[in-house]
Amino acid sequence: MRLKIAKLPGDGIGPEVVEQAVKVVDAVCKRFGHEVEYTFAKVGACAIDEFGKAYPESTHKICMESDAVLFGAVGDPKYDNDPTAKERPETGLLAMRKQLGLFANLRPVETYSSLVHKSPLKEDLVDGADFLCVRELTGGMYFGEKGRRDSGDTAFDTNLYHRYEIERILKLAYEYAMRRGRHLTIVDKANVLESSRLWRQIGQEMAPEYPEVTTDYMYVDNAAMKLITGPKFFDVLVTENTFGDILTDEASCISGSMGLLASASIGEHTGVFEPIHGSYPQAAGKNIANPLATILSAAMMFEYAFGLMEEGRVIREAVTASIVAGYTTEDLGGSQSTSEVGDWVANYIAR
Ligand code: IPM
Ligand code: MN
């Protein structure tokens, strides 16, 4: 197969971790006889520096013309304490999601038995936890009308959801639930928010279409608690954009390190595959960041963008092997550098 990949390393540790994922993708392509072509493009702070825009039109064009986007991270501390900045690195990520129509963000949470001791939670509580978070990605407060009034002293963000947006994400979540453990938890705040009441209403309308799936409705505050007191309860968790942002950061701690959590954003156009950890500027350029989340995102890319399941499995197997061998970066208790872990995983696949 011929694979056209847009390579968007972005900012901070993005370039270092994407480089490792590229080594792994190359090793997989070599082993399975695929031809791969990368097109580099800028996004985030580095794109603002060069083009004045965090998601320039030229980058969008490259994404549209590719089969998948391999993404690192965006963000730069110089924007963090400047609330007046018009163009921010994060604006680029949001524009990309919107323009590519990526309404679904899939964040699987898996645990590795040899790593459960790294989890801040009790081992028996997390060992075996395995669930999929499905976060709505192009609606809600992130994109609803926002602004200031009263000479800037009043601010608002609108949590707007249309029926079609809720229906398509719930449909997807049900489809994943059917393929997994047939248990869907719809997370909302329907006791307070009108938008959540619409989510719950549509969930109740759709549930009978999936009689094999057990549907639960859970308030987001309760879900936040359940994620740390009993993560094994979950199979597929679906929720709106802002709740999903918060809950998936929380969920990322379960497995022991944020450096392990991969994600896929899919929807109308080219899918984006990225680690959830962000740009981690303190580590940028030091060759210490954990590349496994990006490598696992590449596994998701093979599976979701190319339908190449065996290739994805081989990457996962190599990642697990590196963890079992203790050949990891510091966050996982090892002493290897970013590039050493990348080389190890790529060599494991090539051997
Ligand atoms: C994420 C990130 C982004 C978000 C930021 C960088 C805009 O935190 O992908 O979870 O809030 O969606
Ligand atoms: Mn986030």
Side-chain angles (χ1 to χ4, degrees):
M1 201 165 155
R2 228 176 138 255
L3 316 176
K4 268 193 87 176
I5 299 175
K7 190 172 86 173
L8 274 60
D11 307 318
I13 56 168
E16 302 160 53
V17 291
V18 167
E19 198 185 310
Q20 310 317 313
V22 165
K23 287 178 193 168
V24 171
V25 170
D26 286 342
V28 170
C29 287
K30 194 155 178 237
R31 174 158 158 191
F32 288 86
H34 301 302
E35 208 182 302
V36 58
E37 180 194 325
Y38 302 96
T39 313
F40 171 86
K42 286 193 172 173
V43 64
C46 62
I48 301 178
D49 291 344
E50 187 172 336
F51 305 99
K53 288 205 85 70
Y55 185 59
E57 192 47 44
S58 54
T59 298
H60 180 58
K61 191 162 176 279
I62 288 169
C63 293
M64 288 296 284
E65 288 166 357
S66 302
D67 303 319
V69 179
L70 190 57
F71 190 95
V74 294
D76 189 305
K78 73 181 175 204
Y79 296 95
D80 286 350
N81 294 314
D82 179 7
T84 62
K86 270 224 166 56
E87 191 71 15
R88 321 174 62 88
E90 292 79 5
T91 325
L93 185 54
L94 301 182
M96 182 177 72
R97 290 171 179 170
K98 197 69 174 178
Q99 290 182 42
L100 293 174
L102 305 173
F103 60 83
N105 182 222
L106 312 174
R107 297 182 166 180
V109 178
E110 282 148 18
T111 46
Y112 297 84
S113 289
S114 59
L115 275 187
V116 285
H117 66 280
K118 294 294 293 178
S119 174
L121 304 180
K122 291 204 177 79
E123 287 183 31
D124 61 320
L125 222 98
V126 295
D127 199 8
D130 177 356
F131 57 96
L132 175 69
C133 296
V134 180
R135 168 187 173 193
E136 200 291 327
L137 203 58
T138 50
M141 267 199 284
Y142 275 63
F143 295 95
E145 193 190 343
K146 56 181 81 227
R148 297 276 184 112
R149 283 199 291 259
D150 308 331
S151 330
D153 290 334
T154 303
F156 64 95
D157 299 277
T158 315
N159 199 15
L160 186 85
Y161 268 105
H162 301 288
R163 170 174 279 273
Y164 79 93
E165 295 175 301
I166 302 169
E167 279 175 353
R168 66 183 176 185
I169 192 81
L170 290 184
K171 181 166 181 283
L172 202 75
Y174 269 114
E175 283 164 7
Y176 288 120
M178 287 291 287
R179 279 185 245 158
R180 294 181 46 106
R182 304 192 166 182
H183 175 200
L184 180 67
T185 307
I186 303 177
V187 173
D188 62 30
K189 187 69 185 171
N191 50 348
V192 178
L193 303 177
E194 199 54 41
S195 52
S196 281
R197 286 193 272 271
L198 181 59
W199 271 75
R200 195 170 281 220
Q201 179 192 328
I202 294 174
Q204 286 166 347
E205 288 168 18
M206 289 174 71
E209 294 168 34
Y210 302 89
E212 303 94 334
V213 177
T214 307
T215 305
D216 286 322
Y217 305 90
M218 196 183 275
Y219 296 139
V220 62
D221 45 354
N222 186 213
M225 183 177 72
K226 193 81 186 164
L227 277 172
I228 53 166
T229 55
K232 282 186 256 189
F233 169 83
F234 297 101
D235 174 31
V236 178
L237 180 165
V238 62
T239 192
E240 61 100 68
N241 203 346
T242 308
F243 295 161
D245 177 46
I246 299 165
L247 292 182
T248 52
D249 259 36
E250 186 192 7
S252 76
C253 299
I254 294 171
S255 56
S257 170
M258 218 184 181
L260 282 174
L261 228 72
S263 86
S265 302
I266 56 172
E268 294 161 22
H269 304 292
T270 320
V272 173
F273 302 85
E274 60 170 312
I276 89 146
H277 51 56
S279 62
Y280 191 14
Q282 304 87 329
K286 294 190 179 151
N287 201 19
I288 56 169
N290 187 348
L292 293 183
T294 317
I295 292 172
L296 289 167
S297 301
M300 292 186 86
M301 175 176 79
F302 278 100
E303 294 157 353
Y304 290 83
F306 307 137
L308 298 171
M309 310 312 275
E310 180 59 14
E311 286 77 342
R313 195 194 59 75
V314 162
I315 297 177
R316 289 175 198 288
E317 189 189 293
V319 165
T320 305
S322 79
I323 292 172
V324 171
Y327 206 92
T328 59
T329 44
E330 218 183 322
D331 55 308
L332 297 182
S335 57
Q336 265 61 49
S337 67
T338 308
S339 54
E340 282 170 339
V341 173
D343 288 336
W344 197 96
V345 175
N347 288 336
Y348 186 94
I349 291 168
R351 93 210 135 98

